[in-house]
Amino acid sequence: LQGIFVLGLPYALLHSGYSGLFLIILAAALCCYTGKILIACLYEENEAGQLVRVRDTYEDIANACCKKLSPSLGGIAVSVTQVTELLMTCVLYLVVSGTLLSHSFPSVPVAESTWSAFAFVALLPCVLIRTLQVVSKLSQLCSLVHFVMVLVVLTYCLTQIQQWSWAKFRLSLEFEDFLVSVGVIIFSYTSQIFLPTLEGNMRNPGEFGCMLNWTHFLACVLKTAFALTAFLTWGEDTKEVITDNLPSFLQTLLNLCLLTKALLSYPLPFFAATEIVFVWISRGNHSNYRPPLLALGVRGSFLLLTLLMAVFIPHFALLMGFTGSVTGAAMTFLLPSLFHLRLQWNKLSFLEKCADISVFILGSLCSLAGIVCSIKGLLGAFG
């Protein structure tokens, strides 16, 4: 919930004004709610009226909803969406790596897309990662770098408090820019694809709801504080990646820290995406054996695909907004509410049904509008 994409929130506030602050809070509340109803879909009541976990994954929930049409149709659709979101996340890490390197060494006449290719070289060992244990160690280092980075940015912003002015917030908004900001904010909260596994591995799954409340509350407070202090410091000059606004002596240091964080963050979504593909392959072959050459081929192909997309779509905020509007909205709002209504319609109260339907409609509108505006922005950037 506190990934590298929090760096895009001050830029989102630039285009959403006061409504952006409300959106950060609303997105936290809605994501917390959809996380709870998604986990509720894993359970069914037994004859004694006790809740029993009868499903394990997001795909299992989707298959249960679509079993009358096809036993595996729902799972395939969810898996494709998951892989798309994970790969787009990897692409974003490469894009932001190229941006950071370009701004760290402005005297070097190299394009951002070329810098992304240099970052890609450092990620080549990802094709050799076989277990989540390696990824978890990299993620621990990533969390430490993130904490230091946010602390430095907030400290600098607080030293500029005399320059803060609420007049920097916009009252009138450009509708298309606002919708791109909605996608950025949604994408910064997406975590639903990991929740079934997380809940299943908790020592006391009964505390999942409480855990979700506290983590989303704290994430909301930290995101709001970070976005607000950064935007009040730079106002209309706020950049897509907020570290680009820092003085040169801090910018180079933090950009290198961010580069380290981006490279350390890449293996998790990359590993998760390739594992989903390996599950598909093993189901087709009815075997869990992975030929070494096939494993290297799949991982190498995915790695190369993320590089090509990063080179041809080098726009961090627009790409993040597009991803948030497409896969983020689907996995976070649309599918959880739809699955909850489908599986537990007879057990839901009138207010719960209204809440699920409202979330689905709101998510659909935001997703559709965000997709259109993000595509227009990307086409305009290329034009």
Side-chain angles (χ1 to χ4, degrees), residues 100 103-105 145 148-149 152 243 246-261:
L100 292 168
H103 293 171
S104 297
F105 305 101
V145 174
V148 173
M149 173 200 71
V152 171
T243 52
L246 292 168
S248 57
F249 71 95
L250 280 178
Q251 182 179 329
T252 301
L253 174 63
L254 278 187
N255 280 352
L256 292 176
C257 287
L258 279 171
L259 173 64
T260 303
K261 177 176 172 56

Side-chain angles (χ1 to χ4, degrees), residues 8-273:
L9 291 180
Y11 187 75
L13 282 189
L14 172 65
H15 293 294
S16 57
Y18 285 103
S19 59
L21 296 175
F22 173 73
L23 283 172
I24 292 174
I25 298 171
L26 179 63
L30 291 178
C31 289
C32 182
Y33 174 74
T34 56
K36 291 178 181 178
I37 63 176
L38 179 66
I39 296 304
C41 292
L42 297 173
Y43 290 84
E44 296 286 351
E45 286 187 1
N46 59 16
E47 296 179 355
Q50 298 174 324
L51 289 176
V52 179
R53 202 176 201 263
V54 296
R55 304 176 188 99
D56 294 319
T57 65
Y58 210 137
E59 292 88 342
D60 291 341
I61 297 172
N63 285 331
C65 291
C66 301
K67 62 181 178 181
K68 291 184 178 180
L69 294 174
S70 171
S72 59
L73 177 62
I76 292 173
V78 167
S79 295
V80 169
T81 306
Q82 283 181 315
V83 170
T84 301
E85 180 170 354
L86 291 166
L87 284 181
M88 291 299 285
T89 302
C90 292
V91 172
L92 282 165
Y93 286 133
L94 273 176
V95 170
V96 78
S97 296
T99 301
L100 292 168
L101 282 169
S102 175
H103 293 171
S104 297
F105 305 101
S107 59
V108 180
V110 173
E112 289 186 9
S113 56
T114 305
W115 282 118
S116 294
F118 288 149
F120 168 80
V121 174
L123 294 169
L124 288 176
C126 286
V127 299
L128 303 176
I129 295 178
R130 298 181 179 179
T131 66
L132 196 59
Q133 185 177 10
V134 176
V135 177
S136 67
K137 292 179 180 179
L138 297 175
S139 296
Q140 288 177 335
L141 293 174
C142 177
S143 298
L144 178 62
V145 174
H146 180 83
F147 174 77
V148 173
M149 173 200 71
V150 171
L151 182 63
V152 171
V153 174
L154 287 176
T155 301
Y156 176 82
C157 290
L158 291 174
T159 63
Q160 306 297 311
I161 196 170
Q162 69 277 3
Q163 300 179 9
W164 289 8
S165 172
W166 287 97
K168 295 178 180 180
F169 273 94
R170 294 184 179 186
L171 294 177
S172 60
L173 302 173
E174 291 291 335
F175 186 64
E176 293 185 5
D177 290 337
F178 169 75
L179 289 174
V180 173
S181 297
V182 172
V184 172
I185 292 171
I186 290 174
F187 193 72
S188 74
Y189 277 109
T190 54
S191 63
Q192 269 68 3
I193 57 177
F194 303 108
L195 293 185
T197 302
L198 176 62
E199 191 264 355
N201 285 279
M202 288 181 67
R203 184 175 300 162
N204 184 2
E207 296 180 351
F208 177 82
C210 181
M211 179 276 293
L212 216 58
N213 289 338
W214 277 107
T215 51
H216 280 77
F217 171 75
L218 292 172
C220 178
V221 170
L222 292 171
K223 288 177 191 291
T224 303
F226 183 82
L228 185 59
T229 54
F231 177 74
L232 287 175
T233 301
W234 289 289
E236 294 289 332
D237 296 324
T238 301
K239 305 289 181 63
E240 286 189 24
V241 182
I242 197 60
T243 52
D244 291 342
N245 286 105
L246 292 168
S248 57
F249 71 95
L250 280 178
Q251 182 179 329
T252 301
L253 174 63
L254 278 187
N255 280 352
L256 292 176
C257 287
L258 279 171
L259 173 64
T260 303
K261 177 176 172 56
L263 296 178
L264 290 173
S265 298
Y266 184 99
L268 177 58
F270 177 81
F271 179 83

